[in-house]
Amino acid sequence: MSTSDPAPQRAAGEPTAAAETEPAASRLDLAPSPVFLLLVGVTALAGWLSWTRAEETTLGWDSAYAPFLFILGGWIICLTLQQYVRSLLAYRFGDRALRGTGYLRLNPFAFRELGAGLVLPVAYMLVGSFGLNGPAVHLDRSAVSGRGRRALVALGGLLTNAVLAAVLAAVVMLLVPEGSVTNNWAIVSLMFLCYLNVSAVLLNLLPVPGTDTFDAVAEGLDRWRPGRNAAIFGTVAIFAVVWCPPVNAVFMDGVFALFTLVDVNEIYLNWGQTFARPW
């Protein structure tokens, strides 16, 4: 006869051990983080200072650091929304792994992969003066059923950049009537943010590991997906190639020509590049 104690009986409805260790869901898990609200506030303040050119008119400074802060804060907000939309799509399709994290709470400084999701894209903008997203956060593919849904999740970031570019372009067109020219720092900065999102979309269309297009094609065909190191290396490789002077000249000419088709003066983008690197 066995001398071991019988297994304890669990009452109906009593949580399992896994459920006891899993944190309870909270409404705050999907609420915007105070950090994001602070980021938006600081960016808006920099935008107002740029709009009024306070550094010249009020402080008497011969500088333009407010537009730099406006562009930097605006680009971080774009990167946050890009990761948020992809994570939210995955969450709606069944992946609960990122609930309560910085991705679904719009806190870029709490990203699990801070270097890939925030530091690298900001560095790309500061050094190269063009937009390029880092690889998307790793998601639980097994929790999202269907290749189509997984491909849509993969394209979420690219679509976000496209929508942001369209919204920013529309705002600039409303602020600057057709045929008019402006020297307003805030409007020029908004146009540069539009350019960053457009360039991010164009580069994200490349079928290179780390881009949304590569992830979507891999999901649609159910083929090989690279590891995180390969994805990060892929975006770094894209930046290195585009940053190379001969390629950079061709890329910039192409993007500027695209903006010229919608009657955007090339001087705005050149001015915006100056704002993005005031040193």
Side-chain angles (χ1 to χ4, degrees), residues 11 37 62 69 74 92 100 107 130 150 158 183 198 274 277:
L37 300 179
D62 184 19
L69 292 176
R92 295 302 183 190
N107 183 356
F130 57 84
R150 291 196 294 268
L158 187 153
N183 63 353
V198 169
T274 303
R277 299 197 309 189

PDB file of all heavy atoms in Angstrom, residues 11 37 62 69 74 92 100 107 130 150 158 183 198 274 277:
ATOM      1  N   ALA A  11     -11.503  22.281  -5.630  1.00  0.00           N
ATOM      2  CA  ALA A  11     -12.928  22.590  -5.704  1.00  0.00           C
ATOM      3  C   ALA A  11     -13.256  23.169  -7.072  1.00  0.00           C
ATOM      4  O   ALA A  11     -12.419  23.775  -7.724  1.00  0.00           O
ATOM      5  CB  ALA A  11     -13.296  23.602  -4.606  1.00  0.00           C
ATOM      6  N   LEU A  37       2.066  60.432 -22.551  1.00  0.00           N
ATOM      7  CA  LEU A  37       1.387  61.725 -22.470  1.00  0.00           C
ATOM      8  C   LEU A  37       2.387  62.846 -22.226  1.00  0.00           C
ATOM      9  O   LEU A  37       2.260  63.947 -22.794  1.00  0.00           O
ATOM     10  CB  LEU A  37       0.344  61.692 -21.347  1.00  0.00           C
ATOM     11  CG  LEU A  37      -0.766  60.643 -21.508  1.00  0.00           C
ATOM     12  CD1 LEU A  37      -1.727  60.699 -20.323  1.00  0.00           C
ATOM     13  CD2 LEU A  37      -1.525  60.851 -22.817  1.00  0.00           C
ATOM     14  N   ASP A  62      20.381  82.821 -31.722  1.00  0.00           N
ATOM     15  CA  ASP A  62      20.584  82.528 -33.135  1.00  0.00           C
ATOM     16  C   ASP A  62      20.707  81.012 -33.294  1.00  0.00           C
ATOM     17  O   ASP A  62      21.764  80.473 -33.628  1.00  0.00           O
ATOM     18  CB  ASP A  62      21.836  83.237 -33.650  1.00  0.00           C
ATOM     19  CG  ASP A  62      22.024  83.042 -35.157  1.00  0.00           C
ATOM     20  OD1 ASP A  62      21.032  82.696 -35.817  1.00  0.00           O
ATOM     21  OD2 ASP A  62      23.157  83.230 -35.649  1.00  0.00           O
ATOM     22  N   LEU A  69      13.941  69.430 -31.315  1.00  0.00           N
ATOM     23  CA  LEU A  69      13.196  68.687 -30.302  1.00  0.00           C
ATOM     24  C   LEU A  69      11.814  68.278 -30.820  1.00  0.00           C
ATOM     25  O   LEU A  69      11.310  67.199 -30.489  1.00  0.00           O
ATOM     26  CB  LEU A  69      13.057  69.534 -29.035  1.00  0.00           C
ATOM     27  CG  LEU A  69      14.353  69.807 -28.264  1.00  0.00           C
ATOM     28  CD1 LEU A  69      14.079  70.735 -27.082  1.00  0.00           C
ATOM     29  CD2 LEU A  69      14.984  68.513 -27.781  1.00  0.00           C
ATOM     30  N   GLY A  74       8.539  64.037 -32.265  1.00  0.00           N
ATOM     31  CA  GLY A  74       7.554  63.553 -33.228  1.00  0.00           C
ATOM     32  C   GLY A  74       7.932  62.210 -33.818  1.00  0.00           C
ATOM     33  O   GLY A  74       7.069  61.345 -34.016  1.00  0.00           O
ATOM     34  N   ARG A  92      -5.525  41.701 -30.678  1.00  0.00           N
ATOM     35  CA  ARG A  92      -6.910  41.472 -31.102  1.00  0.00           C
ATOM     36  C   ARG A  92      -7.080  40.102 -31.759  1.00  0.00           C
ATOM     37  O   ARG A  92      -8.170  39.522 -31.717  1.00  0.00           O
ATOM     38  CB  ARG A  92      -7.343  42.571 -32.081  1.00  0.00           C
ATOM     39  CG  ARG A  92      -7.407  43.962 -31.461  1.00  0.00           C
ATOM     40  CD  ARG A  92      -8.338  44.009 -30.281  1.00  0.00           C
ATOM     41  NE  ARG A  92      -8.460  45.356 -29.728  1.00  0.00           N
ATOM     42  CZ  ARG A  92      -9.070  45.636 -28.577  1.00  0.00           C
ATOM     43  NH1 ARG A  92      -9.601  44.651 -27.858  1.00  0.00           N
ATOM     44  NH2 ARG A  92      -9.133  46.873 -28.153  1.00  0.00           N
ATOM     45  N   GLY A 100      -0.044  44.893 -21.076  1.00  0.00           N
ATOM     46  CA  GLY A 100       0.549  45.579 -19.932  1.00  0.00           C
ATOM     47  C   GLY A 100       1.972  46.050 -20.164  1.00  0.00           C
ATOM     48  O   GLY A 100       2.557  46.696 -19.296  1.00  0.00           O
ATOM     49  N   ASN A 107       4.503  53.281 -24.322  1.00  0.00           N
ATOM     50  CA  ASN A 107       5.668  53.762 -23.582  1.00  0.00           C
ATOM     51  C   ASN A 107       6.930  53.261 -24.283  1.00  0.00           C
ATOM     52  O   ASN A 107       7.379  52.142 -24.039  1.00  0.00           O
ATOM     53  CB  ASN A 107       5.641  53.276 -22.136  1.00  0.00           C
ATOM     54  CG  ASN A 107       6.805  53.835 -21.316  1.00  0.00           C
ATOM     55  OD1 ASN A 107       7.677  54.531 -21.841  1.00  0.00           O
ATOM     56  ND2 ASN A 107       6.827  53.524 -20.034  1.00  0.00           N
ATOM     57  N   PHE A 130      17.164  60.192 -42.542  1.00  0.00           N
ATOM     58  CA  PHE A 130      16.029  59.557 -43.208  1.00  0.00           C
ATOM     59  C   PHE A 130      15.402  58.573 -42.231  1.00  0.00           C
ATOM     60  O   PHE A 130      16.018  58.160 -41.244  1.00  0.00           O
ATOM     61  CB  PHE A 130      16.434  58.860 -44.519  1.00  0.00           C
ATOM     62  CG  PHE A 130      17.515  57.817 -44.370  1.00  0.00           C
ATOM     63  CD1 PHE A 130      17.213  56.519 -43.984  1.00  0.00           C
ATOM     64  CD2 PHE A 130      18.841  58.137 -44.632  1.00  0.00           C
ATOM     65  CE1 PHE A 130      18.205  55.555 -43.862  1.00  0.00           C
ATOM     66  CE2 PHE A 130      19.837  57.180 -44.512  1.00  0.00           C
ATOM     67  CZ  PHE A 130      19.528  55.892 -44.128  1.00  0.00           C
ATOM     68  N   ARG A 150      -1.602  36.735 -39.565  1.00  0.00           N
ATOM     69  CA  ARG A 150      -0.203  36.963 -39.190  1.00  0.00           C
ATOM     70  C   ARG A 150       0.483  37.912 -40.169  1.00  0.00           C
ATOM     71  O   ARG A 150       1.295  38.744 -39.780  1.00  0.00           O
ATOM     72  CB  ARG A 150       0.537  35.630 -39.108  1.00  0.00           C
ATOM     73  CG  ARG A 150       0.092  34.747 -37.931  1.00  0.00           C
ATOM     74  CD  ARG A 150       1.092  33.645 -37.659  1.00  0.00           C
ATOM     75  NE  ARG A 150       1.151  32.684 -38.760  1.00  0.00           N
ATOM     76  CZ  ARG A 150       0.410  31.588 -38.809  1.00  0.00           C
ATOM     77  NH1 ARG A 150      -0.444  31.302 -37.841  1.00  0.00           N
ATOM     78  NH2 ARG A 150       0.525  30.751 -39.837  1.00  0.00           N
ATOM     79  N   LEU A 158       4.176  49.131 -41.235  1.00  0.00           N
ATOM     80  CA  LEU A 158       4.304  49.815 -42.525  1.00  0.00           C
ATOM     81  C   LEU A 158       3.055  50.637 -42.825  1.00  0.00           C
ATOM     82  O   LEU A 158       3.142  51.788 -43.273  1.00  0.00           O
ATOM     83  CB  LEU A 158       4.553  48.775 -43.617  1.00  0.00           C
ATOM     84  CG  LEU A 158       4.882  49.270 -45.034  1.00  0.00           C
ATOM     85  CD1 LEU A 158       5.710  48.225 -45.775  1.00  0.00           C
ATOM     86  CD2 LEU A 158       3.614  49.559 -45.834  1.00  0.00           C
ATOM     87  N   ASN A 183       8.072  80.049 -44.191  1.00  0.00           N
ATOM     88  CA  ASN A 183       9.327  79.844 -43.468  1.00  0.00           C
ATOM     89  C   ASN A 183       9.060  79.512 -42.001  1.00  0.00           C
ATOM     90  O   ASN A 183       9.929  79.681 -41.150  1.00  0.00           O
ATOM     91  CB  ASN A 183      10.230  81.072 -43.580  1.00  0.00           C
ATOM     92  CG  ASN A 183       9.600  82.310 -42.936  1.00  0.00           C
ATOM     93  OD1 ASN A 183       8.433  82.282 -42.530  1.00  0.00           O
ATOM     94  ND2 ASN A 183      10.349  83.395 -42.871  1.00  0.00           N
ATOM     95  N   VAL A 198       7.559  58.648 -44.982  1.00  0.00           N
ATOM     96  CA  VAL A 198       7.570  58.182 -46.368  1.00  0.00           C
ATOM     97  C   VAL A 198       8.810  57.342 -46.642  1.00  0.00           C
ATOM     98  O   VAL A 198       8.734  56.262 -47.240  1.00  0.00           O
ATOM     99  CB  VAL A 198       7.503  59.381 -47.341  1.00  0.00           C
ATOM    100  CG1 VAL A 198       7.792  58.928 -48.772  1.00  0.00           C
ATOM    101  CG2 VAL A 198       6.139  60.040 -47.271  1.00  0.00           C
ATOM    102  N   THR A 274      18.384  70.160 -41.958  1.00  0.00           N
ATOM    103  CA  THR A 274      19.202  71.057 -41.133  1.00  0.00           C
ATOM    104  C   THR A 274      18.681  71.110 -39.707  1.00  0.00           C
ATOM    105  O   THR A 274      19.461  71.088 -38.739  1.00  0.00           O
ATOM    106  CB  THR A 274      19.230  72.468 -41.739  1.00  0.00           C
ATOM    107  OG1 THR A 274      19.727  72.402 -43.079  1.00  0.00           O
ATOM    108  CG2 THR A 274      20.108  73.391 -40.916  1.00  0.00           C
ATOM    109  N   ARG A 277      19.599  68.045 -37.583  1.00  0.00           N
ATOM    110  CA  ARG A 277      20.993  67.931 -37.148  1.00  0.00           C
ATOM    111  C   ARG A 277      21.549  69.341 -36.926  1.00  0.00           C
ATOM    112  O   ARG A 277      22.285  69.887 -37.746  1.00  0.00           O
ATOM    113  CB  ARG A 277      21.829  67.186 -38.193  1.00  0.00           C
ATOM    114  CG  ARG A 277      21.318  65.779 -38.427  1.00  0.00           C
ATOM    115  CD  ARG A 277      22.326  64.884 -39.119  1.00  0.00           C
ATOM    116  NE  ARG A 277      22.889  65.464 -40.315  1.00  0.00           N
ATOM    117  CZ  ARG A 277      23.663  64.765 -41.159  1.00  0.00           C
ATOM    118  NH1 ARG A 277      23.926  63.493 -40.921  1.00  0.00           N
ATOM    119  NH2 ARG A 277      24.162  65.325 -42.231  1.00  0.00           N
TER     120      ARG A 277
END
